[in-house]
């Protein structure tokens, strides 16, 4: 079927205006033009850095034959004198959807997801579509081509933007005449993206972390398939293998996603060209360190309409700041040595390309670098430097002719030649008729002033006594059209004038009166046009707000570094056998706790008087969902052990700073509870301003989220016809048993293969089963979302059958009922202090739950599971004193040492012991008091929150908002476009949050 469609496409496509050499021609005589076209006396940019003055360009048959100063001109040549004109290579945009129809979902409004593919012979996931070839459905779009030609483009790369593995793209010449030459390469790029296909209702992947896991599994499957291990044919993997040598373009659309794609590339030894979105400057050091080449849009946000002070208050500082900073992105990338090409993608109108690029140049982007990003760099990325991107001998004759320097606002683009075919943008031969004339039409005489620009003149006609005459005026291809309207608007006695411009000093033509009479009109120039000297100084760009780390409100001006700090005379909560020490000093040095005692000194330390204040180890939140990008749940399968939160840490989330303000230094970011076997967790230190990977706890123990209860059986999902197994609590038990058994067999198959010197067909690497095998082998630990006692007992029984234990039950609101069984099993508990009755399965929860389990001898922690509560975990710990009569010291351990034990990191954190990480909080009061404030929050000797600096930051934010509002008001006053103020609703993730 595909071959038939391809043949039909080619038959239609290639039999238009120009056919192949061997095709018969029955509509005209067959005549091959072998003449040369010569452009002389031009300033010629062969490349952005190779310039020829008074040069000659010789082309034939759509190619550059020669370029230079001393060119021998063949006899059969058409010579065009370009004295005073400039020639540049035409631009290249390698990232478009030109000539393709973007797929649209035809799935209607069905709320019933598909879990298993219906496609036969292709990859198991329908968002993996490498077999899609753009050339099979490509249709040349002439109106769009003309938009691009007018903007200076001669060649574009285009692809079908759908899915995660999107298939191949083509390279197209914008040749409106010779259709058979339009496709330069029918397979030149292979496209990938973090996006689901619009053509499938398959539930997986539903999250960004799921997409990353799918990409990993896809590449592992490709390697396995290429080695001949599969017993079945997979057309998707075959296509993916065939596409490996193509240029790999990955659409990221965000700075952090660029880092994520680069991470995948590094893991599999790939080279991605990353399509960004313009915010790369916010993480420029990390972007630079990817060593990747980029494709960057020249699309900048409009200023907000801030004239209404109440509406403007809802605009986030981050968005206001991005408007101010975005035009500097290209300069910053260039200054940091990042190689990139430019694209028209994301522009509302193609004609906005030049104004936006000129704006970037005003903000410091070098003009030569700009030209390179539009010519030689995209050509080099595609491996087509010998064909496009320059005017070297043998290249396609793709060039533009301009009136001067191409990135000057007043420069006129006259012609865009593609493969030797001319496209006229502005008439290069138009005559300048600007000046003052005496116009005579029959017996009537007028004063006629023509001004404006040479290629877009404006006209004004007055009577001899200086009364304005209504008229309309146009010039096209040196033909004048002038309509003189009567002063009486009711009458329709127009006089129409036309004429061809031969001599600008003396104009003439035919006048047709309302009654049909015709006369000759004349206009004699009385004075030449004198350009009014522009006395207005060129507007300077708005002062750019300095980038902060992170580049959001409360970010720091520079990356923070560790300090040597000596706190004197504090009340120190050690969480060790020494207990709570009064009037005690603590020395922090080299990121560690160097000493705890009295009368300490260090000449290099900053001394802080902590008398009357309290110092504790940092709070550890065992169960959090903040700072996660694009989905806390991968709910597409009943087991998603292959996904990991480590892939999607969002270092820009303001909740990180808020946690620091509440004394939280470490969190475990958990997958949600949408499936019995969820994803792997990330243990993070909240190093505000650091990159996502820098926040990950070093050499962290391996954890994974499991879940029980109503969430995993889709009881509360709102799906019309839920079909995913399991649908009952007893089905959940079978999921665990099935996956543990399969993982055991998977692990044994690999052990057998490795023991046999790796001979024969290798087992398939399955990231999901590989992860579950780590659990069975006691290399990865389970944190399980749980409520009801029967399910708690069930999971413990299942794991004991496979000879391992559950590490932590989280929520565990009926833990008090089975605390003895939990103690016997050896599991810990991470619970809420006093949440109960917020849904049916927690009706039996009580606030004494934590203390009862603690008194039974379990390791008990209090967690937040909530962005707001994580800021107040010190107060949550105090509730253990209220409800359970737990000592203050033991209650404090509920949010410090005990979660460290549950996470297997208590050897480094959780208490104030010499040699441990200096994760420390200085409190204004007893940390269990509702009046206590975290004054300093320190991680590894770096002060990430300081209450005094926080006050300074709040004042700076107010000042910055006022500055940006002033700049935006100026934009509106100048008549520039603005956008209405909008409030962005942010989703705060919880266990049951599903990505829409």
């Amino acid at each position: 079927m595909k071959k038939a469609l391809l043949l039909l496409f080619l038959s239609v496509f290639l039999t238009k205006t120009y056919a192949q050499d061997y095709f018969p021609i029955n509509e005209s005589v067959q005549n091959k033009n072998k003449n040369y076209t010569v452009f002389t006396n031009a300033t010629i940019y062969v490349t952005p850095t190779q310039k020829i003055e008074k040069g000659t360009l010789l082309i034939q048959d759509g190619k550059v034959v020669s370029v230079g100063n001393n060119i021998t001109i063949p006899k059969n040549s058409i010579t065009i004198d370009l004295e005073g004109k400039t020639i540049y290579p035409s631009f290249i945009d390698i990232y478009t959807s030109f000539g393709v129809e973007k797929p649209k979902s035809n799935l209607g409004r069905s709320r019933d997801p598909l879990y298993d593919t219906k496609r036969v012979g292709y990859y198991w996931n329908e968002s993996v579509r490498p077999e899609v070839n753009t050339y099979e459905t490509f249709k040349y779009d002439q109106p769009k081509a003309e938009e691009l030609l007018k903007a200076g483009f001669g060649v574009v790369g285009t692809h079908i933007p759908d899915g995660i593995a999107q298939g191949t793209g083509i390279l197209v010449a914008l040749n409106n005449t010779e259709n058979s030459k339009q496709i330069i390469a029918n397979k030149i790029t292979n496209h990938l993206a973090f996006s689901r296909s619009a053509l499938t209702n398959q539930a997986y992947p539903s999250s960004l972390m799921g997409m990353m896991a799918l990409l990993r599994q896809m590449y592992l499957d490709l390697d396995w398939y290429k080695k001949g291990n599969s017993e079945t044919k997979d057309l998707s993997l075959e296509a993916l293998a065939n596409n490996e040598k193509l240029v790999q373009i990955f659409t990221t659309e965000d700075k952090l996603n660029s880092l994520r794609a680069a991470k995948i590339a590094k893991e599999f030894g790939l080279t991605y060209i990353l399509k960004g979105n313009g915010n790369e400057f916010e993480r420029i050091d990390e972007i630079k360190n990817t060593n990747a080449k980029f494709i960057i849009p020249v699309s900048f946000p409009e200023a907000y309409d801030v004239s209404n002070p109440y509406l403007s208050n809802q605009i986030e500082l981050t968005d206001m700041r991005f408007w101010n900073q975005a035009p500097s992105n290209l300069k910053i990338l260039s200054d940091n040595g990042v190689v990139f090409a430019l694209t028209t993608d994301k522009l509302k109108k193609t004609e906005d390309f030049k104004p936006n690029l000129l704006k970037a140049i005003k903000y410091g982007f070098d003009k030569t670098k700009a030209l390179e990003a539009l010519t030689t760099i995209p050509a080099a990325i595609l491996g087509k430097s010998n064909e496009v991107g320059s005017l070297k001998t043998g290249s396609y004759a793709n060039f533009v002719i301009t009136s001067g320097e191409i990135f000057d606002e007043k420069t006129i683009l006259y012609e865009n030649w593609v493969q030797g075919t001319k496209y006229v943008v502005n008439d290069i031969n138009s005559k300048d008729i600007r000046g003052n004339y005496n116009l005579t039409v029959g017996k009537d005489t007028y004063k006629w002033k023509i001004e404006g620009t040479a290629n877009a003149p404006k006209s004004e006609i007055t009577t001899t006594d200086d009364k304005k005459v209504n008229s309309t005026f146009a010039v096209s291809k040196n033909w004048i059209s002038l309509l003189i309207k009567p002063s009486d608007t009711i009458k329709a006695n127009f006089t129409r004038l036309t004429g061809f411009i031969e001599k600008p000093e003396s104009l003439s033509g035919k006048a047709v009166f309302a009654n049909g009479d015709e006369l000759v009109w004349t206009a004699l120039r009385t004075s030449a046009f004198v350009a009014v000297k522009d006395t207005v100084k060129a507007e300077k760009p708005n002062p750019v707000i300095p980038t902060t780390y992170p580049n959001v409100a409360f970010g720091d001006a520079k990356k923070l570094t560790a300090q040597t700090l000596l706190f004197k005379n504090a009340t120190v909560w050690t969480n060790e056998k020494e207990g709570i020490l009064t009037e005690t000093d603590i020395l922090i040095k080299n990121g560690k706790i160097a000493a705890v005692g009295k009368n300490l000194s260090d000449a290099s330390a900053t001394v802080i008087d902590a008398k009357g204040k309290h110092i504790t180890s940092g709070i550890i939140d065992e169960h959090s969902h903040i700072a996660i990008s694009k989905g806390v749940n991968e709910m597409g399968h009943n087991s998603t052990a292959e996904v990991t939160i480590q892939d999607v840490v969002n270092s820009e989330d303001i909740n990180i700073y808020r946690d620091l303000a509440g004394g939280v230094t470490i969190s475990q970011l958990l997958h949600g509870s949408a499936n019995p076997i969820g994803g792997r967790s990330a243990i993070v230190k909240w190093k505000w301003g650091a990159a996502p990977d820098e926040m990950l706890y070093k050499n962290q123990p391996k954890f994974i989220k499991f879940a029980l209860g109503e969430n995993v059986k889709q009881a509360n999902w709102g799906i019309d016809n839920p079909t995913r197994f399991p649908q009952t609590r007893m089905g959940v038990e079978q999921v665990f048993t099935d996956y543990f058994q399969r993982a055991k067999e998977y692990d044994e198959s690999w052990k057998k293969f490795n023991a046999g010197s790796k001979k024969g067909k290798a087992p398939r690497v399955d990231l999901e089963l590989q992860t579950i095998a780590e659990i069975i082998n006691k290399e990865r630990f389970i944190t399980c979302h749980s409520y009801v006692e029967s399910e708690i007992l069930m999971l413990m029984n299942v794991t004991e059958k496979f000879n391992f234990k559950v590490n932590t039950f989280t929520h565990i609101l009926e833990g008090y009922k089975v605390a003895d069984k939990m103690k016997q099993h050896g599991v810990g508990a991470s619970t809420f202090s006093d949440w109960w009755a917020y849904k049916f399965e927690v009706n039996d929860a009580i606030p004494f739950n934590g203390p009862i389990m603690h008194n039974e001898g379990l390791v008990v922690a209090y967690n937040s599971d909530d962005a707001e509560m994580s800021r107040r975990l010190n107060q949550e710990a105090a509730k253990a004193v209220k409800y359970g009569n737990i000592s203050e010291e033991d209650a404090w351990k509920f949010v410090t040492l005990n979660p460290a034990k549950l996470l297997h990191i208590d050897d480094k954190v959780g208490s104030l012991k010499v040699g441990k990480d200096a994760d420390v909080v200085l409190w204004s009061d007893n940390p269990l008091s509702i009046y206590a404030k975290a004054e300093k929050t320190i991680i590894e000797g770096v002060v990430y929150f300081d209450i005094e600096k926080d006050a300074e930051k709040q004042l700076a934010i107010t000042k910055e908002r006022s500055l940006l509002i002033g700049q935006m008001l100026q934009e509106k006053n100048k008549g520039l476009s603005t956008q209405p103020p909008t409030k962005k609703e942010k989703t705060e993730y919880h266990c049951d949050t599903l990505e829409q």
Side-chain angles (χ1 to χ4, degrees):
M1 181 65 184
K2 283 190 173 181
K3 288 184 177 179
L5 287 171
L6 177 58
L7 288 171
L8 177 62
F9 161 76
L10 290 173
S11 66
V12 173
F13 184 79
L14 297 178
T15 55
K16 291 185 180 178
T17 310
Y18 281 77
Q20 300 285 14
D21 289 342
Y22 55 87
F23 282 26
I25 295 177
N26 295 294
E27 297 177 356
S28 66
V29 296
Q30 188 164 0
N31 183 25
K32 293 183 179 179
N33 186 346
K34 291 297 181 181
N35 288 337
Y36 295 87
T37 304
V38 185
F39 302 87
T40 61
N41 298 317
T43 299
I44 303 173
Y45 282 83
V46 180
T47 69
T49 56
Q50 183 184 350
K51 177 182 176 183
I52 301 172
E53 298 285 359
K54 291 286 183 179
T56 299
L57 174 66
L58 179 65
I59 68 172
Q60 182 193 44
D61 197 23
K63 298 285 185 74
V64 175
V65 175
S66 187
V67 60
N69 288 113
N70 299 304
I71 304 299
T72 301
I73 300 176
K75 291 182 179 179
N76 56 328
S77 298
I78 300 170
T79 301
I80 300 172
D81 186 358
L82 292 181
E83 178 73 35
K85 308 297 189 296
T86 306
I87 295 177
Y88 292 89
S90 294
F91 300 158
I92 304 168
D93 186 347
I94 61 177
Y95 188 91
T96 75
S97 54
F98 173 78
V100 300
E101 185 175 348
K102 294 183 180 180
K104 297 177 182 178
S105 176
N106 57 0
L107 303 172
R109 297 191 177 185
S110 172
R111 299 178 66 190
D112 298 332
L114 173 72
Y115 293 102
D116 299 317
T117 182
K118 302 299 183 184
R119 299 196 305 170
V120 178
Y122 294 92
Y123 198 62
W124 61 268
N125 191 275
E126 295 181 8
S127 285
V128 175
R129 312 172 67 82
E131 67 279 1
V132 173
N133 297 309
T134 299
Y135 74 85
E136 295 177 3
T137 55
F138 173 76
K139 185 178 180 181
Y140 191 83
D141 184 348
Q142 185 153 329
K144 182 64 178 179
E146 292 188 359
E147 289 181 20
L148 290 162
L149 286 163
K150 289 174 183 177
F153 290 89
V155 172
V156 296
T158 182
H159 71 288
I160 300 171
D162 181 62
I164 292 171
Q166 301 179 340
T168 64
I170 63 176
L171 190 64
V172 180
L174 301 177
N175 186 336
N176 284 349
T177 305
E178 300 184 66
N179 298 354
S180 64
K181 295 183 178 180
Q182 287 167 346
I183 294 184
I184 297 173
N186 66 356
K187 282 188 181 183
I188 193 166
T189 49
N190 183 51
H191 291 262
L192 305 106
F194 290 129
S195 62
R196 287 163 44 85
S197 172
L199 301 176
T200 179
N201 199 32
Q202 195 170 13
Y204 185 91
S206 63
S207 65
L208 177 58
M209 61 182 160
M211 294 174 193
M212 292 195 69
L214 177 58
L215 281 164
R216 287 191 179 95
Q217 189 64 64
M218 179 189 78
Y219 284 123
L220 289 169
D221 286 345
L222 174 62
D223 180 66
W224 176 76
Y225 186 86
K226 283 162 54 180
K227 292 175 180 176
N229 294 305
S230 177
E231 295 181 359
T232 59
K233 196 175 187 68
D234 189 312
L235 295 176
S236 296
L237 291 180
E238 297 229 342
L240 195 62
N242 291 333
N243 298 345
E244 280 187 300
K245 293 183 179 180
L246 302 178
V247 178
Q248 308 290 309
I249 296 180
F250 201 117
T251 303
T252 65
E253 303 295 16
D254 178 66
K255 59 186 182 296
L256 296 185
N257 280 351
S258 290
L259 303 183
R260 292 168 182 135
K263 182 178 176 181
I264 294 282
K266 185 177 180 179
E267 288 177 21
F268 291 93
L270 303 169
T271 300
Y272 288 149
I273 309 301
L274 302 177
K275 161 58 173 61
N277 84 327
N279 65 0
E280 291 73 24
F281 66 93
E282 297 183 322
R283 283 286 173 191
I284 189 60
D285 292 338
E286 293 79 16
I287 289 292
K288 180 179 179 179
N289 289 337
T290 65
N291 294 317
K293 294 181 176 68
F294 282 77
I295 303 170
I296 304 296
V298 190
S299 176
F300 307 133
E302 295 175 338
Y304 289 93
D305 183 352
V306 291
S307 51
N308 185 316
Y310 299 103
L311 292 177
S312 63
N313 282 339
Q314 66 186 348
I315 308 171
E316 289 194 14
L317 178 66
T318 305
D319 296 326
M320 298 176 72
R321 184 185 286 183
F322 183 67
W323 164 78
N324 169 274
Q325 296 170 332
S328 66
N329 186 51
L330 300 182
K331 169 183 166 52
I332 293 171
L333 285 168
S334 180
D335 289 350
N336 282 272
V338 178
V339 177
F340 60 91
L342 298 178
T343 177
T344 57
D345 186 56
K346 303 301 181 187
L347 290 175
K348 292 180 180 179
K349 298 177 293 183
T350 307
E351 64 192 50
D352 291 337
F353 179 79
K354 183 177 179 181
N356 282 8
L357 183 54
L358 294 182
K359 186 174 185 178
I361 290 170
K362 282 185 178 180
Y363 277 72
F365 184 36
D366 181 75
K367 292 181 179 181
T368 300
K369 296 291 185 183
L371 190 55
E372 288 175 340
L374 287 165
T375 54
T376 52
I377 289 175
I381 287 174
L382 296 178
K384 292 288 183 181
S385 295
N386 292 330
E387 298 179 56
V388 295
S390 74
L391 293 176
K392 293 179 180 179
T393 301
S395 297
Y396 282 114
N398 296 350
F399 56 91
V400 294
I401 302 173
T402 67
S403 63
E405 195 270 301
I406 197 165
F407 297 130
D408 187 290
E409 289 183 5
K410 298 180 180 178
T411 293
I412 302 167
L413 196 162
Y414 291 117
E415 296 171 0
N416 192 343
W417 290 66
V418 178
Q419 295 177 324
T421 299
K422 178 173 67 174
Y423 178 82
V424 176
V425 180
N426 290 291
D427 188 359
I428 198 170
N429 296 312
S430 62
K431 296 185 171 87
D432 188 355
I433 59 171
R434 293 177 297 172
N436 294 306
Y437 294 81
N438 284 335
L439 172 63
T440 303
V441 185
K443 297 179 180 178
D444 298 323
T445 302
Y446 304 92
K447 294 178 181 179
W448 188 11
K449 181 167 69 174
I450 304 175
E451 51 188 3
T453 60
N455 66 315
K458 296 178 181 178
S459 165
E460 181 181 275
I461 296 178
T462 58
T463 61
T464 53
D465 54 354
D466 295 325
K467 291 182 180 179
K468 188 173 181 180
V469 176
N470 292 328
S471 63
T472 59
F473 171 73
V475 178
S476 177
K477 297 181 180 180
N478 287 328
W479 278 93
I480 293 174
S481 296
L482 178 64
L483 184 68
I484 298 177
K485 303 177 182 179
S487 56
D488 188 342
T489 56
I490 298 176
K491 296 181 180 180
N493 53 333
F494 302 109
T495 302
R496 294 170 291 161
L497 280 65
T498 59
F500 184 75
I501 303 169
E502 291 184 357
K503 296 179 179 180
E505 299 83 7
S506 177
L507 306 176
S508 63
K510 182 171 69 174
V512 179
F513 294 91
N515 61 6
D517 291 346
E518 295 183 5
L519 287 175
V520 173
W521 64 268
T522 60
L524 298 177
R525 182 185 285 173
T526 57
S527 62
F529 172 75
V530 178
V532 178
K533 191 172 182 180
D534 191 358
T535 57
V536 180
K537 293 182 179 179
E539 288 188 17
K540 293 182 179 180
N542 288 318
V544 178
I545 301 295
T547 305
T548 60
Y549 301 91
N551 196 38
V552 298
F554 297 96
D556 293 290
K558 59 182 180 179
K559 291 185 177 180
L560 302 175
T561 56
Q563 303 176 50
T564 299
L565 302 171
L566 177 58
F567 294 91
K568 302 288 289 184
N569 301 313
T571 299
V572 178
W573 297 52
T574 67
N575 279 353
E576 295 288 341
K577 63 183 179 181
E578 292 81 6
I580 301 174
L581 305 175
T582 59
E583 298 293 320
T584 299
D585 305 342
I586 182 167
L587 176 64
I588 294 172
K589 195 168 187 176
N590 299 323
K592 300 289 183 180
I593 297 172
V596 179
K598 295 183 183 293
N599 301 316
L600 299 180
S601 64
D602 188 299
S604 63
T606 299
V607 178
I608 300 167
D609 183 8
K611 189 174 182 63
K613 300 179 181 180
H614 294 244
I615 294 178
T616 70
S617 57
I619 291 174
I620 300 173
D621 190 354
E622 187 275 340
H623 185 144
S624 178
H625 299 301
I626 69 170
I628 295 172
S629 295
K630 303 292 184 181
V632 69
N633 273 297
E634 178 43 69
M635 48 81 169
H637 291 157
N638 56 19
S639 169
T640 55
E642 71 281 358
V643 309
T644 174
I645 298 291
Q646 291 188 26
D647 282 338
V648 289
V649 174
N650 178 9
S651 54
E652 327 294 286
D653 188 352
I654 191 61
N655 286 307
I656 297 172
Y657 186 76
R658 291 169 180 164
D659 265 25
L660 289 165
V664 179
T665 56
I666 294 175
S667 296
Q668 178 178 214
L669 303 184
L670 285 167
H671 187 279
S673 56
N675 26 29
I677 301 176
R680 294 170 268 169
S681 68
I683 301 173
V684 292
K685 288 197 172 189
W686 291 133
K687 298 177 180 179
W688 183 237
D693 283 354
E694 293 172 323
M695 290 184 171
L696 297 177
Y697 190 98
K698 293 178 181 177
N699 302 315
Q700 61 183 265
K702 299 176 180 179
F703 278 83
I704 188 171
K705 175 75 175 292
F706 276 37
L708 306 168
E710 66 178 35
N711 294 356
V712 304
K713 63 188 186 70
Q714 300 180 298
N716 53 359
W717 285 30
I719 297 176
D720 296 334
N721 182 31
T723 58
R724 192 193 75 181
F725 183 83
Q727 289 295 306
T728 63
R729 294 178 192 263
M730 59 186 173
V732 175
E733 179 179 6
Q734 295 310 307
V735 168
F736 293 139
T737 301
D738 176 62
Y739 271 98
F740 289 149
Q741 182 60 38
R742 287 170 56 202
K744 183 178 179 180
E745 294 170 4
Y746 170 84
D747 193 47
E748 289 171 352
S749 69
W750 271 103
K751 288 176 180 176
K752 182 178 179 181
F753 176 75
N754 291 330
S757 301
K758 300 183 180 180
K759 293 180 180 178
K761 290 189 175 182
R764 172 179 175 262
V765 176
D766 188 314
L767 292 175
E768 178 186 37
L769 293 179
Q770 187 180 78
T771 302
I772 298 172
E774 291 175 347
I775 300 170
I776 296 173
N777 293 329
K778 302 175 184 177
E779 298 166 358
R780 185 175 295 277
F781 309 105
I782 294 173
T783 293
C784 185
H785 164 110
S786 55
Y787 291 111
V788 180
E789 65 173 316
S790 60
E791 291 186 293
I792 297 165
L793 294 172
M794 173 272 289
L795 183 57
M796 290 192 294
N797 288 335
V798 170
T799 59
E800 286 172 1
K801 289 178 184 178
F802 288 89
N803 195 33
F804 70 93
K805 298 176 181 179
V806 180
N807 187 86
T808 309
F809 280 114
T810 189
H811 304 325
I812 192 68
L813 295 184
E814 290 190 14
Y816 67 94
K817 296 182 180 180
V818 291
D820 56 339
K821 300 294 185 183
M822 292 172 64
K823 172 69 174 176
Q824 183 180 343
H825 182 76
V827 65
S830 181
T831 188
F832 297 134
S833 60
D834 59 353
W835 290 23
W836 64 81
Y838 53 88
K839 60 179 177 177
F840 186 79
E841 64 182 352
V842 296
N843 276 354
D844 285 358
I846 59 174
F848 301 95
N849 181 48
I852 290 173
M853 290 189 290
H854 169 76
N855 291 333
E856 186 64 34
L858 299 179
V859 176
V860 176
Y862 282 167
N863 67 64
S864 72
D865 190 24
D866 178 78
E868 174 63 23
M869 183 167 287
S870 62
R871 302 162 57 187
R872 314 186 190 285
L873 280 171
N874 63 313
Q875 296 177 24
E876 294 300 296
K879 292 175 183 177
V881 180
K882 174 182 178 180
Y883 290 115
N885 201 29
I886 303 296
S887 70
E888 288 191 359
E889 190 174 352
D890 282 345
W892 185 246
K893 291 178 182 177
F894 277 25
V895 294
T896 52
L897 184 59
N898 289 0
K901 289 179 178 179
L902 293 177
L903 295 174
H904 300 206
I905 57 176
D906 55 302
D907 60 327
K908 296 285 193 304
V909 295
S911 66
L912 299 179
K913 182 179 180 181
V914 173
K916 282 193 171 185
D917 291 350
D919 295 359
V920 174
V921 183
L922 175 67
W923 299 89
S924 62
D925 206 328
N926 182 316
L928 297 174
S929 168
I930 61 170
Y931 300 107
K933 293 180 181 180
E935 294 189 350
K936 292 184 190 295
T937 302
I938 302 163
I939 300 174
E940 296 175 6
V942 181
V943 181
Y944 283 102
F945 175 80
D946 184 302
I947 199 166
E948 293 180 357
K949 290 184 178 178
D950 178 72
E952 294 173 4
K953 287 180 178 180
Q954 292 185 47
L955 291 173
I957 288 169
T958 301
K959 184 177 179 181
E960 182 180 335
R961 286 186 69 91
S962 297
L963 173 65
L964 292 171
I965 286 171
Q967 290 181 0
M968 290 181 178
L969 287 172
Q970 286 181 349
E971 295 280 302
K972 185 175 182 180
N973 291 338
K974 293 174 189 174
L976 299 176
S977 297
T978 58
Q979 58 177 313
T982 53
K983 183 178 182 180
K984 290 186 178 178
E985 298 292 341
K986 289 188 176 180
T987 301
E988 298 290 1
Y989 289 138
H990 295 90
C991 276
D992 56 356
T993 306
L994 302 179
E995 198 72 4
Q996 299 298 318

